[in-house]
Amino acid sequence: MSARGGKVDWSAPFERLDAGSRFRTRGRTVTESDVVSFAALTGDWHPQHADAEWAAQSRFGERIAHGMLIVSYAVGLLAFDPERVVALRRVADVVFKRPLKLGETITVDGKLVDLLALDDDVGLVGCALSILNQDGALVCRARLDVIWRRGEPATATEPFSRERGVVPC
């Protein structure tokens, strides 16, 4: 069992997790290609993200990344073990504090804040996320809840088996 406030063991069963455990992710630089791809995928072509001339006259003075792109990348940076994390349950309390300019890099500082056993198979893990830019300034804050498997992991011969009810998140 990890010490309270220790580092998160992403492969640990639910019952070995501790509220207060912390983590920090690797970085991810958000590029123009990322922003254009996200706009094409979602249909969000707001000129703040897609039109350099329009954005130059805006409050931010240049194009910035979509807020939901930042949140999506933050979730993707978490080192979830597919044998442990069954599904994303909720993204909540998202607050954007400052824009992320193209070419800036994000990392996620986080903490496990809530642990709730749901049944004999899984528990609910609440994570508080702080998404930071390369200067350590807060870009976004959010809460993430995930369904986490209890007990020993399944055998390596049957990863992601739909018969076991496991769908990667």
Side-chain angles (χ1 to χ4, degrees), residues 13-49:
F14 173 80
E15 50 274 29
R16 287 197 4 234
L17 298 174
D18 290 308
S21 295
R22 297 186 165 278
F23 56 90
R24 182 164 198 166
T25 69
R26 63 183 172 79
R28 172 68 160 83
T29 301
V30 178
T31 66
E32 178 175 5
S33 177
D34 295 326
V35 171
V36 171
S37 295
F38 191 81
L41 181 66
T42 63
D44 181 353
W45 290 99
H46 189 286
Q48 186 66 67
H49 313 299

Side-chain angles (χ1 to χ4, degrees), residues 101-125:
K101 299 173 184 177
L102 281 59
E104 291 191 315
T105 300
I106 61 167
T107 57
V108 180
D109 275 352
K111 178 169 71 167
L112 303 186
V113 291
D114 296 316
L115 302 169
L116 175 66
L118 296 177
D119 60 31
D120 290 341
D121 297 324
V122 297
L124 185 65
V125 177

Side-chain angles (χ1 to χ4, degrees), residues 3-115:
R4 182 166 175 76
K7 190 174 179 184
V8 174
D9 177 357
W10 297 100
S11 296
F14 173 80
E15 50 274 29
R16 287 197 4 234
L17 298 174
D18 290 308
S21 295
R22 297 186 165 278
F23 56 90
R24 182 164 198 166
T25 69
R26 63 183 172 79
R28 172 68 160 83
T29 301
V30 178
T31 66
E32 178 175 5
S33 177
D34 295 326
V35 171
V36 171
S37 295
F38 191 81
L41 181 66
T42 63
D44 181 353
W45 290 99
H46 189 286
Q48 186 66 67
H49 313 299
D51 184 331
E53 187 174 314
W54 186 95
Q57 304 305 314
S58 74
R59 174 184 183 110
F60 304 118
E62 61 187 288
R63 292 170 55 207
I64 60 172
H66 300 76
M68 292 309 296
L69 172 64
I70 296 166
V71 172
S72 296
Y73 278 163
V75 172
L77 287 170
L78 301 180
F80 290 138
D81 181 338
E83 291 297 321
R84 287 291 162 207
V85 175
V86 177
L88 175 63
R89 176 106 180 250
R90 177 175 68 164
V91 177
D93 305 325
V94 177
V95 178
F96 298 101
K97 301 301 283 184
R98 63 178 32 85
L100 187 76
K101 299 173 184 177
L102 281 59
E104 291 191 315
T105 300
I106 61 167
T107 57
V108 180
D109 275 352
K111 178 169 71 167
L112 303 186
V113 291
D114 296 316
L115 302 169

